[in-house]
Structures are given as C-alpha cells and as structure tokens.
Amino acid sequence: MSEKLMKDFVAAARENIREISPEELHAAIQKGEDWTLVDVREPYEYERAHVPDSLLIPRGLLEGAADPNTPHRIEALYSAREKPVAIICATGGRAALSVLRLQEMGFTNVVNVAGGMKSWEGEDLPVESGAYTGQLP
C-alpha cells in the first residue's frame, strides 16, 4: 500500500465536491440568500481575520458539531442539512475535506469556498478580526 499525503486526500475530495468562488458567495449573501458559513480553521487563525457572521467550528470538531445526537452539536450547523452551507479555511484544503465529510453525513447543499481566506482577502472582500464569541462544540 502506498503512503498518502494530505494533498492526495484533498485532491480526492475535490473530485467529489462543489466549490464556490469567494466573489460568488459574497454576492449571494449580499442578495440576501440564507447561507450558513462555517470556518474550520483554528481559533488563532479566526481571530486574525474571518468572514463576518461566520461560525467557527475547527476541523477536528466538525463531525460532533454536525451530529444532532452528540453533546458537541451546534444547532446552527446540524439544522442546516437542507440549506446552503459554505465551508472556508485558509486555502481550501481543510474545507474540501470538511465538505466531503458533511456530504457523507447527509448535508445536501454544502460547498467549499475556493481558495479559502487567502482568496477571500485577495479579492478585498469584507473581513473582521477578533476572538470568536459564539458557541463552540
């Protein structure tokens, strides 16, 4: 068996998920579309810069937050199985893995924000800084 690297897992995930550009997502939000935006980075990354109104659910806690049957559940996520959900990380790798996992958990309209925060900021879209004040898993 050959050894796999993270890039292999991310490439395989990208074959089975949908992506949205930062510009498309921002435009949809500006039009009033009801998106749930989940940031799967670590708290220190989120604190430096994040998309306004995004939920912080670090990648390692995602499955518990998405499962309504665990004490780590986050209602804003697990109740969004049928609505548009966008996942963002630093550059798109962790988000791609997260999208694949949420699809496996029954989420029907979940997408990866292509290029992550690096692309979001590169397009000069709105960002905030500061610690997360919402519920954590």
Side-chain angles (χ1 to χ4, degrees), residues 20-66:
I20 190 170
S21 73
E23 300 87 356
E24 290 173 299
L25 178 59
H26 183 256
I29 292 169
Q30 292 299 312
K31 286 193 298 188
E33 293 181 21
D34 188 19
W35 283 82
T36 298
L37 179 57
V38 179
D39 191 321
V40 295
R41 297 175 302 151
E42 295 299 316
Y44 74 90
E45 294 172 290
Y46 183 94
E47 190 170 339
R48 276 190 241 146
H50 57 269
V51 177
D53 301 317
S54 58
L55 300 171
L56 173 62
I57 303 175
R59 174 66 196 94
L61 304 175
L62 184 70
E63 291 84 352

Side-chain angles (χ1 to χ4, degrees), residues 80-135:
R81 289 181 185 281
E82 305 296 324
K83 69 181 269 194
V85 177
I87 308 295
I88 193 166
C89 66
T91 60
R94 285 175 284 180
L97 297 171
S98 299
V99 168
L100 184 61
R101 183 53 47 97
L102 290 176
Q103 287 177 175
E104 293 169 345
M105 294 181 76
F107 284 73
T108 59
N109 191 7
V110 59
V111 298
N112 181 15
V113 179
M117 281 299 295
K118 183 175 183 178
S119 291
W120 186 276
E121 291 178 292
E123 294 300 323
D124 218 15
L125 296 171
V127 296
E128 295 177 340
S129 61
Y132 186 66
T133 58
Q135 178 187 0

